[in-house]
Amino acid sequence: MELKDAIFGRRTVRSFKPEAILDEVLNEILEAGTWAPSHGNNQPWEFLLAGPQTRERLLEAYRKAMEAGPLANPELPEERKQNLRKFCVNFGNAPIVLAVSYPPATTELDKYDFPLSAAAAIQNILLMAWEKNVAGLWLSFGANPAAKSIFNLPENSQIAGILVMGYPEIVPTAQTRSRVEAKLHRLP
């Protein structure tokens, strides 16, 4: 697969086959994350793979947050609520639940660089996963204090994202994207 195909072909998937991802495949996917750019090559990210107990605690916290948030929103269409409820059963049956964290900043540059570097690692992970026919979903639930506690992070460490990954059961069609002309601003 060419890089262009991975970038334009990658989809966010919410329904996975229960088939396990081999350790060799997962390690290759995570290795791609370690090649993300970071200031001074400081590589501030850590990968936290949830085992069964951590996963169950995280799922319960996620479910509660969804019930108190989006599922309680009367304006959210019922179809989206049903899809969210289905996902909340077992993270869409994804065999992998992984948090990407970063340590507390010690400088002003760290405050800026650490979350961006961790996000770049996540993008690399998702692109390499797609090349390996593994799909993923980047959850922002890592911003929830319960997630940080469940992953037992040191004080002031943060979660850049929680990834659920597996072999896709259903690959959705591409959503429309903004045209580059609408996003590009040429300055004098």
Side-chain angles (χ1 to χ4, degrees):
M1 178 180 294
E2 291 190 28
L3 178 60
K4 179 180 177 180
D5 297 329
I7 291 171
F8 295 143
R10 188 204 62 77
R11 298 287 178 271
T12 295
V13 171
R14 291 176 172 83
S15 182
F16 302 90
K17 296 176 184 175
E19 181 181 341
I21 297 173
L22 297 174
D23 284 345
E24 306 86 67
V25 174
L26 180 59
N27 287 342
E28 192 171 349
I29 290 168
L30 297 178
E31 179 74 20
T34 69
W35 284 89
S38 62
H39 178 76
N41 196 29
N42 61 18
Q43 304 175 46
W45 47 76
E46 296 287 336
F47 307 135
L48 309 168
L49 185 60
Q53 292 174 345
T54 301
R55 180 188 177 109
E56 192 55 43
R57 290 180 57 215
L58 187 68
L59 184 59
E60 183 59 31
Y62 181 75
R63 202 178 290 128
K64 285 180 182 176
M66 295 303 104
E67 288 170 359
L71 292 173
N73 180 354
E75 295 179 20
L76 188 68
E78 189 56 38
E79 180 182 354
R80 293 211 34 217
K81 287 183 180 182
Q82 287 177 4
N83 289 337
L84 184 53
R85 285 185 193 103
K86 184 179 176 185
F87 182 75
C88 284
V89 171
N90 188 19
F91 291 122
N93 292 322
I96 298 292
V97 176
L98 176 87
V100 178
S101 70
Y102 56 91
T106 58
T107 69
E108 286 301 309
L109 183 58
D110 292 350
K111 288 179 190 176
Y112 180 78
D113 180 66
F114 284 4
L116 296 177
S117 296
I122 289 171
Q123 179 71 2
N124 279 12
I125 287 167
L126 291 172
L127 289 174
M128 180 58 79
W130 193 255
E131 180 181 286
K132 302 291 178 190
N133 299 312
V134 173
L137 170 62
W138 182 346
L139 295 173
S140 57
F141 185 64
N144 188 301
K148 183 177 168 183
S149 173
I150 290 165
F151 279 103
N152 200 28
L153 289 180
E155 189 174 342
N156 296 322
S157 290
Q158 302 296 325
I159 296 175
I162 296 173
L163 307 179
V164 295
M165 298 188 300
Y167 295 102
E169 183 175 76
I170 299 168
V171 177
T173 57
Q175 295 183 5
T176 59
R177 298 289 197 251
S178 299
R179 296 187 48 77
V180 70
E181 295 82 7
K183 299 292 181 179
L184 176 62
H185 306 279
R186 296 183 187 270
L187 305 176

mmCIF file of all heavy atoms in Angstrom, residues 4-5 7-8 11 15 27 48 77 111 120 128 141 166 179 187:
data_model
loop_
_atom_site.group_PDB
_atom_site.id
_atom_site.type_symbol
_atom_site.label_atom_id
_atom_site.label_comp_id
_atom_site.label_asym_id
_atom_site.label_seq_id
_atom_site.Cartn_x
_atom_site.Cartn_y
_atom_site.Cartn_z
ATOM 1 N N LYS A 4 -0.142 7.406 0.120
ATOM 2 C CA LYS A 4 -1.332 8.128 -0.339
ATOM 3 C C LYS A 4 -2.583 7.276 -0.136
ATOM 4 O O LYS A 4 -3.624 7.781 0.301
ATOM 5 C CB LYS A 4 -1.175 8.520 -1.808
ATOM 6 C CG LYS A 4 -2.355 9.250 -2.386
ATOM 7 C CD LYS A 4 -2.101 9.598 -3.846
ATOM 8 C CE LYS A 4 -3.321 10.259 -4.444
ATOM 9 N NZ LYS A 4 -3.092 10.599 -5.852
ATOM 10 N N ASP A 5 -2.492 5.989 -0.429
ATOM 11 C CA ASP A 5 -3.642 5.096 -0.257
ATOM 12 C C ASP A 5 -4.022 4.961 1.212
ATOM 13 O O ASP A 5 -5.206 4.910 1.554
ATOM 14 C CB ASP A 5 -3.339 3.712 -0.844
ATOM 15 C CG ASP A 5 -3.103 3.760 -2.346
ATOM 16 O OD1 ASP A 5 -3.695 4.631 -3.026
ATOM 17 O OD2 ASP A 5 -2.320 2.932 -2.842
ATOM 18 N N ILE A 7 -3.425 7.230 3.590
ATOM 19 C CA ILE A 7 -3.965 8.514 4.055
ATOM 20 C C ILE A 7 -5.397 8.710 3.566
ATOM 21 O O ILE A 7 -6.289 9.040 4.347
ATOM 22 C CB ILE A 7 -3.072 9.685 3.604
ATOM 23 C CG1 ILE A 7 -1.733 9.644 4.348
ATOM 24 C CG2 ILE A 7 -3.769 11.024 3.831
ATOM 25 C CD1 ILE A 7 -0.692 10.616 3.819
ATOM 26 N N PHE A 8 -5.633 8.514 2.282
ATOM 27 C CA PHE A 8 -6.963 8.767 1.722
ATOM 28 C C PHE A 8 -7.929 7.603 1.953
ATOM 29 O O PHE A 8 -9.140 7.797 1.903
ATOM 30 C CB PHE A 8 -6.875 9.088 0.233
ATOM 31 C CG PHE A 8 -6.147 10.372 -0.062
ATOM 32 C CD1 PHE A 8 -5.331 10.479 -1.168
ATOM 33 C CD2 PHE A 8 -6.269 11.481 0.763
ATOM 34 C CE1 PHE A 8 -4.655 11.660 -1.469
ATOM 35 C CE2 PHE A 8 -5.594 12.667 0.483
ATOM 36 C CZ PHE A 8 -4.790 12.757 -0.637
ATOM 37 N N ARG A 11 -10.137 4.796 7.404
ATOM 38 C CA ARG A 11 -11.458 5.148 7.909
ATOM 39 C C ARG A 11 -11.490 4.940 9.416
ATOM 40 O O ARG A 11 -10.780 4.093 9.958
ATOM 41 C CB ARG A 11 -12.557 4.272 7.289
ATOM 42 C CG ARG A 11 -12.692 4.388 5.797
ATOM 43 C CD ARG A 11 -13.322 5.717 5.400
ATOM 44 N NE ARG A 11 -13.415 5.840 3.961
ATOM 45 C CZ ARG A 11 -12.463 6.350 3.178
ATOM 46 N NH1 ARG A 11 -11.335 6.790 3.695
ATOM 47 N NH2 ARG A 11 -12.623 6.435 1.882
ATOM 48 N N SER A 15 -16.837 -0.929 14.477
ATOM 49 C CA SER A 15 -17.307 -2.308 14.590
ATOM 50 C C SER A 15 -16.202 -3.231 14.079
ATOM 51 O O SER A 15 -15.772 -3.108 12.929
ATOM 52 C CB SER A 15 -18.585 -2.485 13.775
ATOM 53 O OG SER A 15 -19.075 -3.788 13.911
ATOM 54 N N ASN A 27 3.258 -4.839 17.297
ATOM 55 C CA ASN A 27 4.571 -4.215 17.506
ATOM 56 C C ASN A 27 5.001 -3.398 16.288
ATOM 57 O O ASN A 27 5.571 -2.313 16.442
ATOM 58 C CB ASN A 27 5.618 -5.265 17.841
ATOM 59 C CG ASN A 27 5.451 -5.818 19.240
ATOM 60 O OD1 ASN A 27 4.784 -5.226 20.085
ATOM 61 N ND2 ASN A 27 6.034 -6.971 19.492
ATOM 62 N N LEU A 48 0.171 2.478 26.360
ATOM 63 C CA LEU A 48 -0.376 1.720 27.488
ATOM 64 C C LEU A 48 -1.459 0.777 26.961
ATOM 65 O O LEU A 48 -2.560 1.200 26.609
ATOM 66 C CB LEU A 48 -0.963 2.685 28.523
ATOM 67 C CG LEU A 48 -0.030 3.822 28.961
ATOM 68 C CD1 LEU A 48 -0.790 4.869 29.747
ATOM 69 C CD2 LEU A 48 1.131 3.264 29.755
ATOM 70 N N PRO A 77 -29.428 12.438 17.003
ATOM 71 C CA PRO A 77 -30.351 11.537 16.305
ATOM 72 C C PRO A 77 -30.332 10.125 16.913
ATOM 73 O O PRO A 77 -29.285 9.631 17.342
ATOM 74 C CB PRO A 77 -29.816 11.518 14.870
ATOM 75 C CG PRO A 77 -29.007 12.765 14.734
ATOM 76 C CD PRO A 77 -28.460 13.047 16.097
ATOM 77 N N LYS A 111 5.104 21.976 26.991
ATOM 78 C CA LYS A 111 3.644 22.148 27.030
ATOM 79 C C LYS A 111 3.068 22.162 25.621
ATOM 80 O O LYS A 111 1.960 21.691 25.390
ATOM 81 C CB LYS A 111 3.272 23.448 27.741
ATOM 82 C CG LYS A 111 3.490 23.419 29.224
ATOM 83 C CD LYS A 111 3.117 24.768 29.825
ATOM 84 C CE LYS A 111 3.548 24.868 31.271
ATOM 85 N NZ LYS A 111 3.265 26.197 31.830
ATOM 86 N N ALA A 120 1.044 13.074 16.769
ATOM 87 C CA ALA A 120 1.734 12.606 15.558
ATOM 88 C C ALA A 120 1.997 11.103 15.646
ATOM 89 O O ALA A 120 1.860 10.375 14.654
ATOM 90 C CB ALA A 120 3.035 13.376 15.350
ATOM 91 N N MET A 128 -0.193 3.094 9.869
ATOM 92 C CA MET A 128 0.448 1.783 9.749
ATOM 93 C C MET A 128 -0.567 0.672 9.993
ATOM 94 O O MET A 128 -0.543 -0.360 9.322
ATOM 95 C CB MET A 128 1.619 1.655 10.720
ATOM 96 C CG MET A 128 2.330 0.299 10.637
ATOM 97 S SD MET A 128 2.997 -0.095 8.993
ATOM 98 C CE MET A 128 4.492 0.886 9.032
ATOM 99 N N PHE A 141 -11.744 10.269 24.880
ATOM 100 C CA PHE A 141 -12.110 9.963 26.259
ATOM 101 C C PHE A 141 -10.904 10.046 27.199
ATOM 102 O O PHE A 141 -11.058 10.149 28.408
ATOM 103 C CB PHE A 141 -12.762 8.573 26.338
ATOM 104 C CG PHE A 141 -13.279 8.228 27.704
ATOM 105 C CD1 PHE A 141 -14.306 8.967 28.279
ATOM 106 C CD2 PHE A 141 -12.732 7.193 28.423
ATOM 107 C CE1 PHE A 141 -14.780 8.667 29.540
ATOM 108 C CE2 PHE A 141 -13.197 6.880 29.688
ATOM 109 C CZ PHE A 141 -14.229 7.618 30.250
ATOM 110 N N GLY A 166 -8.728 -3.041 15.628
ATOM 111 C CA GLY A 166 -8.992 -4.420 15.278
ATOM 112 C C GLY A 166 -9.244 -4.524 13.788
ATOM 113 O O GLY A 166 -9.194 -3.534 13.049
ATOM 114 N N ARG A 179 -12.290 21.315 1.101
ATOM 115 C CA ARG A 179 -11.318 21.482 0.013
ATOM 116 C C ARG A 179 -10.130 22.268 0.552
ATOM 117 O O ARG A 179 -10.289 23.158 1.378
ATOM 118 C CB ARG A 179 -11.965 22.194 -1.171
ATOM 119 C CG ARG A 179 -13.096 21.359 -1.791
ATOM 120 C CD ARG A 179 -13.649 21.953 -3.074
ATOM 121 N NE ARG A 179 -12.679 22.375 -4.064
ATOM 122 C CZ ARG A 179 -12.002 21.554 -4.887
ATOM 123 N NH1 ARG A 179 -12.195 20.269 -4.830
ATOM 124 N NH2 ARG A 179 -11.152 22.044 -5.761
ATOM 125 N N LEU A 187 -0.291 34.183 2.818
ATOM 126 C CA LEU A 187 0.044 35.451 3.454
ATOM 127 C C LEU A 187 1.104 36.181 2.635
ATOM 128 O O LEU A 187 1.930 35.553 1.966
ATOM 129 C CB LEU A 187 0.540 35.206 4.873
ATOM 130 C CG LEU A 187 -0.415 34.398 5.761
ATOM 131 C CD1 LEU A 187 0.214 34.140 7.103
ATOM 132 C CD2 LEU A 187 -1.745 35.101 5.898
#
